[in-house]
Amino acid sequence: MDTANQTIAGLNTKITDLTQQLDTANKAASSKSAELTQSERDALQAKQDVCQTRAKAESISNANE
């Protein structure tokens, strides 16, 4: 009975350690996801800036014709 209790205690400790590792990994993955989302927002903003610049250039070009 004592051996079984020790085994259970050891397994509980391992489960706790693995749960903490999983939590850490999930936080890192979540952070990476947020960074990617920010990168996507930055890319979209850059694309919008390019479109606005093109529109201005076409407007100037048309005015010069």
Side-chain angles (χ1 to χ4, degrees):
M1 187 72 170
D2 192 40
T3 303
N5 286 337
Q6 288 176 348
T7 301
I8 291 171
L11 290 173
N12 283 335
T13 300
K14 287 182 182 180
I15 288 170
T16 300
D17 290 345
L18 290 172
T19 300
Q20 289 174 346
Q21 290 176 17
L22 182 59
D23 287 344
T24 301
N26 282 335
K27 287 177 185 173
S30 178
S31 176
K32 264 305 193 209
S33 177
E35 288 174 15
L36 181 60
T37 301
Q38 182 61 50
S39 295
E40 290 170 344
R41 281 189 287 223
D42 291 345
L44 180 58
Q45 183 62 51
K47 184 178 178 181
Q48 290 172 343
D49 292 345
V50 168
C51 289
Q52 289 174 354
T53 302
R54 280 188 185 147
K56 287 179 186 176
E58 286 177 10
S59 175
I60 292 169
S61 177
N62 291 338
N64 288 337
E65 288 180 352

